[in-house]
């Protein structure tokens, strides 16, 4: 997958920040990526997920028999469903291991099985835990929405990626972020979400993008 120069710059800045945060051992790290509409944020966080899977495979997760768990959050179910074919297509070329996909929201999707995909749809955390435990050395990507995110607070995960994170600026969606048990949470947005989501620092890309 070819990235534009400014997308590489953004990801490089984010990776540098994560190295400084000692991502292999730290918990509850939060980062923001600010980039304008049309910058290709979806492509960037798919690449981030691929890199994250490869990086954490070199740490203790697989050796300890723990599933690598990633949550991708969208503002709407329809948007979540539309992006999944894109995830499967790109990640199948970037990640050399089986990825299990789970939909954690009330929308129903047809279960599909293939070389790189096992897809499950549920609104039950116990079912989600069972999917993780049944495939302890696999990578798992869970698609959910901001309205369902609150139900995942009891599930420890490695990475949460929030698309259109400005939706967290108030109300129940903002409260859903607090208390999540994640090693790393990255917020992608065209509109900085401010301090209410308690971000540790931000990858401000405004200067990079102005030169594109």
């Amino acid at each position: 997958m070819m990235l534009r120069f400014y997308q590489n710059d953004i990801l490089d800045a984010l990776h540098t920040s994560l190295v400084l945060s000692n991502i292999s051992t730290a918990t509850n790290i939060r980062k923001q990526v600010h980039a304008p509409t049309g910058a290709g944020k979806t492509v960037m966080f798919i690449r981030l997920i691929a890199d994250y899977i490869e990086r954490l495979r070199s740490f203790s997760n697989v050796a300890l028999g723990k599933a690598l768990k990633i949550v991708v959050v969208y503002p709407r179910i329809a948007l979540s469903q539309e992006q999944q074919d894109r995830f499967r297509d790109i990640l199948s070329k970037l990640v050399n291991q089986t990825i299990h996909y789970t939909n954690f929201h009330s929308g129903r999707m047809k279960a599909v099985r293939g070389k790189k995909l096992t897809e499950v749809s549920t609104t039950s955390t116990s079912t989600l835990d069972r999917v993780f435990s049944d495939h302890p050395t696999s990578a798992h990507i869970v698609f959910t929405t901001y309205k369902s995110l609150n139900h995942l607070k009891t599930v420890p995960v490695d990475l949460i990626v929030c698309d259109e994170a400005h939706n967290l600026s108030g109300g129940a969606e903002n409260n859903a972020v607090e208390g999540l048990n994640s090693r790393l949470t990255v917020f992608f947005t065209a509109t900085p979400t401010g301090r209410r989501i308690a971000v540790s620092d931000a990858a401000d890309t405004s200067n990079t993008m102005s030169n594109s």
Side-chain angles (χ1 to χ4, degrees):
M1 179 177 64
M2 296 294 294
L3 298 178
R4 294 184 173 92
F5 75 91
Y6 59 81
Q7 293 171 326
N8 280 314
D9 288 347
I10 291 168
L11 290 176
D12 285 346
L14 181 58
H15 287 314
T16 298
S17 179
L18 295 179
V19 168
L20 293 175
S21 300
N22 194 12
I23 187 60
S24 64
T25 58
T27 59
N28 199 31
I29 299 172
R30 293 185 175 186
K31 306 291 181 182
Q32 281 192 64
V33 174
H34 308 155
T37 301
K41 289 185 285 294
T42 299
V43 171
M44 283 189 279
F45 66 67
I46 291 176
R47 186 54 186 256
L48 170 67
I49 289 170
D51 290 346
Y52 195 82
I53 291 172
E54 294 301 314
R55 283 168 184 251
L56 283 193
R57 287 176 67 189
S58 66
F59 298 131
S60 60
N61 292 60
V62 174
L64 293 175
K66 295 180 179 179
L68 181 58
K69 295 167 282 189
I70 298 165
V71 176
V72 180
V73 191
Y74 286 100
R76 299 177 301 280
I77 292 174
L79 186 57
S80 171
Q81 293 175 347
E82 289 171 1
Q83 292 292 348
Q84 291 187 46
D85 285 342
R86 194 175 186 187
F87 267 77
R88 291 195 293 268
D89 179 58
I90 296 175
L91 288 176
S92 67
K93 299 178 177 68
L94 296 176
V95 177
N96 188 29
Q97 73 174 94
T98 299
I99 299 175
H100 294 263
Y101 293 84
T102 304
N103 299 288
F104 191 84
H105 49 60
S106 58
R108 296 188 176 186
M109 293 190 67
K110 181 180 179 182
V112 179
R113 294 183 180 272
K115 182 178 179 181
K116 294 289 182 181
L117 168 68
T118 300
E119 190 173 280
V120 177
S121 184
T122 185
T123 55
S124 166
T125 55
S126 60
T127 298
L128 190 59
D129 285 335
R130 187 164 61 250
V131 171
F132 294 156
S133 62
D134 285 347
H135 308 279
T137 60
S138 297
H140 295 261
I141 297 180
V142 179
F143 292 95
T144 191
T145 63
Y146 289 112
K147 292 189 179 298
S148 298
L149 186 59
N150 188 59
H151 300 292
L152 288 173
K153 288 185 176 181
T154 61
V155 181
V157 298
D158 295 286
L159 170 65
I160 298 175
V161 176
C162 296
D163 189 31
E164 298 189 22
H166 51 272
N167 286 276
L168 295 167
S169 59
E173 287 79 4
N174 181 68
N175 294 331
V177 174
E178 303 308 322
L180 289 172
N181 188 358
S182 175
R183 183 193 300 247
L184 167 66
T185 304
V186 182
F187 303 91
F188 281 81
T189 181
T191 306
T193 53
R195 297 180 180 178
R196 294 192 61 187
I197 58 174
V199 176
S200 55
D201 67 25
D204 189 348
T205 62
S206 57
N207 291 333
T208 301
M209 295 303 303
S210 66
N211 295 324
S212 62

